[in-house]
């Protein structure tokens, strides 16, 4: 059974930074792509960034040049470094593993105050 646990969310002022972590159990982490999604109140869940097992990355246009996704396979962890945060970045951020299984984490709340 693969489990994902997100951490690092919190309250930050606009312009600030946070680093989210997604820790995975199970050996399939290293052969799986990992994506970060977010869901703001009253809105649909949207893709923020993704990283393949080989380290290739992709970003939504609204976070390019502000967010960076990375992975440490030795720690079974994916990170989302979020800089220059805006109030519209406020959402619950979810980690998603895609491979031979698809697994979601429980989410971590990010609140950006103006």
């Amino acid at each position: 059974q693969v489990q994902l646990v997100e951490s690092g969310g919190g309250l930050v002022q606009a312009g600030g930074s946070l680093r989210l972590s997604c820790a995975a159990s199970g050996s399939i982490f290293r052969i799986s792509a990992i994506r970060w999604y977010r869901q703001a109140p009253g809105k649909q869940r949207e893709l923020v960034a993704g990283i393949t097992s080989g380290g290739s990355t992709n970003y939504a246009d609204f976070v390019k040049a502000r967010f960076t996704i990375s992975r440490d396979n030795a720690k079974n962890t994916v990170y989302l470094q979020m800089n220059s945060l805006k109030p519209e970045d406020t959402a619950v951020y979810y980690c998603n593993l895609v491979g031979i299984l698809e697994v979601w984490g429980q989410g971590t709340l990010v609140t950006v105050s103006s």
Side-chain angles (χ1 to χ4, degrees), residues 29-109:
F29 171 85
R30 302 182 184 192
I31 60 172
S32 301
I34 304 293
R35 300 168 182 166
W36 283 98
Y37 286 80
R38 70 185 188 186
Q39 188 166 19
K43 295 189 177 181
Q44 290 189 328
R45 192 171 295 189
E46 59 185 358
L47 178 64
V48 175
I51 186 165
T52 68
S53 58
S56 298
T57 60
N58 65 284
Y59 297 92
D61 287 344
F62 53 78
V63 301
K64 280 182 180 177
R66 298 190 299 126
F67 291 9
T68 302
I69 189 170
S70 61
R71 66 190 298 157
D72 184 341
N73 286 340
K75 295 182 178 179
N76 270 20
T77 301
V78 167
Y79 304 98
L80 185 67
Q81 178 67 44
M82 306 187 297
N83 299 328
S84 302
L85 283 163
K86 306 175 181 180
E88 52 262 44
D89 293 319
T90 295
V92 178
Y93 284 71
Y94 297 92
C95 182
N96 170 238
L97 180 149
V98 181
I100 57 176
L101 298 173
E102 183 173 15
V103 183
W104 289 88
Q106 82 289 350
T108 186
L109 177 62

